[in-house]
Amino acid sequence: FAFIVNKDVSSQDLINAISLVDNKLISNIRIFDVYEGKNIPSDKKSIAIKVTIQSDNKTLNEDDLTSISKKIVKSVEEKTGAQLRS
């Protein structure tokens, strides 16, 4: 996931928002890039996050992954005002 956020939003704010979604399926959250510059508004930054989603009980299918991905995006948007970077 890559989100566009205001410069005053920390990476930890995004991690916290993602952590609230489903602690049974989200096993790891890691920031792998923070970018400011070309194609990003001057008052914003891009934060890219790798989220490991896995279940101990079943194999996740495409619907499961789509559902939790939507929940992650919604939680980050609501808690931080971020927008998914396209």
Side-chain angles (χ1 to χ4, degrees), residues 3 5-6 9-10 12-21 71-83:
F3 293 95
V5 298
N6 289 330
V9 174
S10 74
Q12 189 62 48
D13 293 335
L14 273 70
I15 290 170
N16 293 345
I18 293 169
S19 297
L20 297 172
V21 173
K71 289 177 186 175
I72 288 169
V73 171
K74 183 176 180 183
S75 179
V76 171
E77 288 175 347
E78 289 176 352
K79 306 271 189 285
T80 68
Q83 292 184 321

Short mmCIF file of all heavy atoms in Angstrom, two decimals, residues 3 5-6 9-10 12-21 71-83:
data_model
loop_
_atom_site.label_atom_id
_atom_site.label_comp_id
_atom_site.label_asym_id
_atom_site.label_seq_id
_atom_site.Cartn_x
_atom_site.Cartn_y
_atom_site.Cartn_z
N PHE A 3 0.32 5.45 0.55
CA PHE A 3 -0.64 6.49 0.90
C PHE A 3 -0.02 7.87 0.79
O PHE A 3 1.16 8.05 1.10
CB PHE A 3 -1.13 6.29 2.34
CG PHE A 3 -1.94 5.05 2.56
CD1 PHE A 3 -1.35 3.88 3.02
CD2 PHE A 3 -3.30 5.04 2.30
CE1 PHE A 3 -2.11 2.74 3.23
CE2 PHE A 3 -4.06 3.90 2.50
CZ PHE A 3 -3.46 2.75 2.96
N VAL A 5 -0.13 11.44 2.46
CA VAL A 5 -0.55 12.01 3.74
C VAL A 5 0.03 13.41 3.90
O VAL A 5 1.00 13.78 3.25
CB VAL A 5 -0.09 11.13 4.92
CG1 VAL A 5 -0.71 9.76 4.86
CG2 VAL A 5 1.42 11.02 4.99
N ASN A 6 -0.58 14.17 4.80
CA ASN A 6 0.00 15.46 5.17
C ASN A 6 1.36 15.21 5.82
O ASN A 6 1.57 14.17 6.46
CB ASN A 6 -0.91 16.20 6.16
CG ASN A 6 -2.17 16.70 5.50
OD1 ASN A 6 -2.20 17.00 4.31
ND2 ASN A 6 -3.24 16.78 6.29
N VAL A 9 1.69 13.88 9.45
CA VAL A 9 1.27 12.51 9.78
C VAL A 9 2.51 11.63 9.81
O VAL A 9 3.31 11.62 8.88
CB VAL A 9 0.25 11.98 8.75
CG1 VAL A 9 -0.08 10.52 9.02
CG2 VAL A 9 -1.01 12.83 8.76
N SER A 10 2.67 10.88 10.89
CA SER A 10 3.85 10.01 11.02
C SER A 10 3.57 8.62 10.45
O SER A 10 2.41 8.20 10.33
CB SER A 10 4.27 9.89 12.48
OG SER A 10 3.37 9.07 13.20
N GLN A 12 4.12 5.98 12.03
CA GLN A 12 3.51 5.24 13.13
C GLN A 12 2.00 5.41 13.16
O GLN A 12 1.27 4.49 13.51
CB GLN A 12 4.13 5.67 14.46
CG GLN A 12 3.71 4.79 15.63
CD GLN A 12 4.15 3.34 15.48
OE1 GLN A 12 5.31 3.07 15.16
NE2 GLN A 12 3.25 2.40 15.69
N ASP A 13 1.51 6.59 12.76
CA ASP A 13 0.06 6.82 12.69
C ASP A 13 -0.60 5.83 11.73
O ASP A 13 -1.67 5.29 12.00
CB ASP A 13 -0.26 8.25 12.25
CG ASP A 13 0.16 9.30 13.27
OD1 ASP A 13 0.25 8.98 14.46
OD2 ASP A 13 0.39 10.45 12.84
N LEU A 14 0.05 5.58 10.59
CA LEU A 14 -0.48 4.63 9.61
C LEU A 14 -0.41 3.21 10.16
O LEU A 14 -1.36 2.43 10.03
CB LEU A 14 0.27 4.73 8.28
CG LEU A 14 -0.28 5.78 7.32
CD1 LEU A 14 -0.02 7.18 7.81
CD2 LEU A 14 0.30 5.59 5.95
N ILE A 15 0.71 2.87 10.77
CA ILE A 15 0.86 1.53 11.36
C ILE A 15 -0.23 1.29 12.40
O ILE A 15 -0.86 0.23 12.43
CB ILE A 15 2.26 1.36 11.98
CG1 ILE A 15 3.31 1.29 10.86
CG2 ILE A 15 2.34 0.12 12.87
CD1 ILE A 15 4.75 1.36 11.34
N ASN A 16 -0.48 2.29 13.24
CA ASN A 16 -1.52 2.15 14.27
C ASN A 16 -2.90 1.94 13.65
O ASN A 16 -3.67 1.10 14.12
CB ASN A 16 -1.53 3.38 15.18
CG ASN A 16 -0.28 3.50 16.02
OD1 ASN A 16 0.50 2.57 16.17
ND2 ASN A 16 -0.07 4.69 16.57
N ALA A 17 -3.21 2.69 12.60
CA ALA A 17 -4.51 2.55 11.94
C ALA A 17 -4.66 1.17 11.32
O ALA A 17 -5.74 0.57 11.38
CB ALA A 17 -4.67 3.63 10.87
N ILE A 18 -3.60 0.63 10.75
CA ILE A 18 -3.66 -0.70 10.14
C ILE A 18 -3.78 -1.77 11.22
O ILE A 18 -4.52 -2.75 11.07
CB ILE A 18 -2.43 -0.94 9.24
CG1 ILE A 18 -2.49 0.00 8.03
CG2 ILE A 18 -2.37 -2.40 8.79
CD1 ILE A 18 -1.21 0.05 7.22
N SER A 19 -3.08 -1.58 12.32
CA SER A 19 -3.10 -2.56 13.41
C SER A 19 -4.50 -2.78 13.97
O SER A 19 -4.81 -3.86 14.49
CB SER A 19 -2.19 -2.10 14.55
OG SER A 19 -0.86 -2.04 14.12
N LEU A 20 -5.35 -1.77 13.88
CA LEU A 20 -6.71 -1.87 14.42
C LEU A 20 -7.64 -2.73 13.56
O LEU A 20 -8.71 -3.12 14.02
CB LEU A 20 -7.32 -0.47 14.54
CG LEU A 20 -6.63 0.50 15.49
CD1 LEU A 20 -7.22 1.89 15.35
CD2 LEU A 20 -6.76 0.00 16.93
N VAL A 21 -7.25 -3.01 12.33
CA VAL A 21 -8.16 -3.67 11.38
C VAL A 21 -8.45 -5.12 11.76
O VAL A 21 -9.60 -5.50 11.91
CB VAL A 21 -7.61 -3.58 9.94
CG1 VAL A 21 -8.45 -4.40 8.98
CG2 VAL A 21 -7.55 -2.13 9.49
N LYS A 71 -10.63 -2.81 4.11
CA LYS A 71 -10.70 -2.39 5.51
C LYS A 71 -9.45 -1.61 5.92
O LYS A 71 -9.54 -0.64 6.67
CB LYS A 71 -10.89 -3.60 6.42
CG LYS A 71 -12.26 -4.23 6.31
CD LYS A 71 -12.35 -5.48 7.18
CE LYS A 71 -13.66 -6.20 6.97
NZ LYS A 71 -13.72 -7.46 7.72
N ILE A 72 -8.29 -2.04 5.43
CA ILE A 72 -7.04 -1.35 5.73
C ILE A 72 -7.09 0.07 5.17
O ILE A 72 -6.80 1.04 5.87
CB ILE A 72 -5.83 -2.13 5.17
CG1 ILE A 72 -5.60 -3.39 6.01
CG2 ILE A 72 -4.57 -1.25 5.13
CD1 ILE A 72 -4.60 -4.37 5.41
N VAL A 73 -7.47 0.20 3.91
CA VAL A 73 -7.53 1.52 3.26
C VAL A 73 -8.52 2.41 4.00
O VAL A 73 -8.22 3.57 4.30
CB VAL A 73 -7.89 1.39 1.77
CG1 VAL A 73 -8.17 2.75 1.16
CG2 VAL A 73 -6.77 0.68 1.01
N LYS A 74 -9.69 1.89 4.31
CA LYS A 74 -10.71 2.68 5.01
C LYS A 74 -10.21 3.15 6.38
O LYS A 74 -10.40 4.30 6.76
CB LYS A 74 -12.00 1.87 5.16
CG LYS A 74 -13.12 2.65 5.80
CD LYS A 74 -14.40 1.84 5.85
CE LYS A 74 -15.50 2.68 6.49
NZ LYS A 74 -16.74 1.96 6.63
N SER A 75 -9.59 2.26 7.12
CA SER A 75 -9.09 2.62 8.45
C SER A 75 -8.03 3.71 8.37
O SER A 75 -8.07 4.68 9.11
CB SER A 75 -8.51 1.38 9.15
OG SER A 75 -8.00 1.73 10.43
N VAL A 76 -7.09 3.56 7.44
CA VAL A 76 -6.03 4.56 7.29
C VAL A 76 -6.62 5.90 6.87
O VAL A 76 -6.25 6.95 7.41
CB VAL A 76 -4.94 4.08 6.31
CG1 VAL A 76 -3.97 5.19 5.97
CG2 VAL A 76 -4.19 2.89 6.89
N GLU A 77 -7.56 5.88 5.93
CA GLU A 77 -8.20 7.12 5.48
C GLU A 77 -8.92 7.82 6.63
O GLU A 77 -8.78 9.03 6.83
CB GLU A 77 -9.17 6.85 4.34
CG GLU A 77 -8.50 6.51 3.03
CD GLU A 77 -9.48 6.13 1.93
OE1 GLU A 77 -10.67 5.88 2.21
OE2 GLU A 77 -9.03 6.08 0.78
N GLU A 78 -9.69 7.04 7.39
CA GLU A 78 -10.48 7.63 8.48
C GLU A 78 -9.61 8.15 9.63
O GLU A 78 -9.88 9.19 10.21
CB GLU A 78 -11.48 6.61 9.03
CG GLU A 78 -12.62 6.33 8.07
CD GLU A 78 -13.56 5.24 8.56
OE1 GLU A 78 -13.25 4.58 9.59
OE2 GLU A 78 -14.59 5.01 7.90
N LYS A 79 -8.56 7.41 9.96
CA LYS A 79 -7.74 7.77 11.14
C LYS A 79 -6.68 8.81 10.84
O LYS A 79 -6.24 9.51 11.76
CB LYS A 79 -7.06 6.52 11.70
CG LYS A 79 -7.99 5.37 12.03
CD LYS A 79 -8.52 5.45 13.44
CE LYS A 79 -9.28 4.25 13.88
NZ LYS A 79 -10.59 4.06 13.36
N THR A 80 -6.25 8.93 9.58
CA THR A 80 -5.12 9.82 9.28
C THR A 80 -5.42 10.86 8.20
O THR A 80 -4.61 11.75 7.97
CB THR A 80 -3.88 9.02 8.82
OG1 THR A 80 -4.14 8.45 7.53
CG2 THR A 80 -3.50 7.95 9.83
N GLY A 81 -6.54 10.71 7.50
CA GLY A 81 -6.85 11.61 6.40
C GLY A 81 -6.05 11.29 5.14
O GLY A 81 -6.05 12.06 4.19
N ALA A 82 -5.39 10.16 5.13
CA ALA A 82 -4.57 9.74 3.98
C ALA A 82 -5.45 9.36 2.80
O ALA A 82 -6.63 9.07 2.95
CB ALA A 82 -3.69 8.56 4.36
N GLN A 83 -4.82 9.34 1.63
CA GLN A 83 -5.48 8.84 0.41
C GLN A 83 -4.56 7.78 -0.19
O GLN A 83 -3.34 7.94 -0.20
CB GLN A 83 -5.68 9.94 -0.60
CG GLN A 83 -6.68 10.98 -0.17
CD GLN A 83 -6.91 12.01 -1.27
OE1 GLN A 83 -5.98 12.42 -1.94
NE2 GLN A 83 -8.15 12.43 -1.44
#
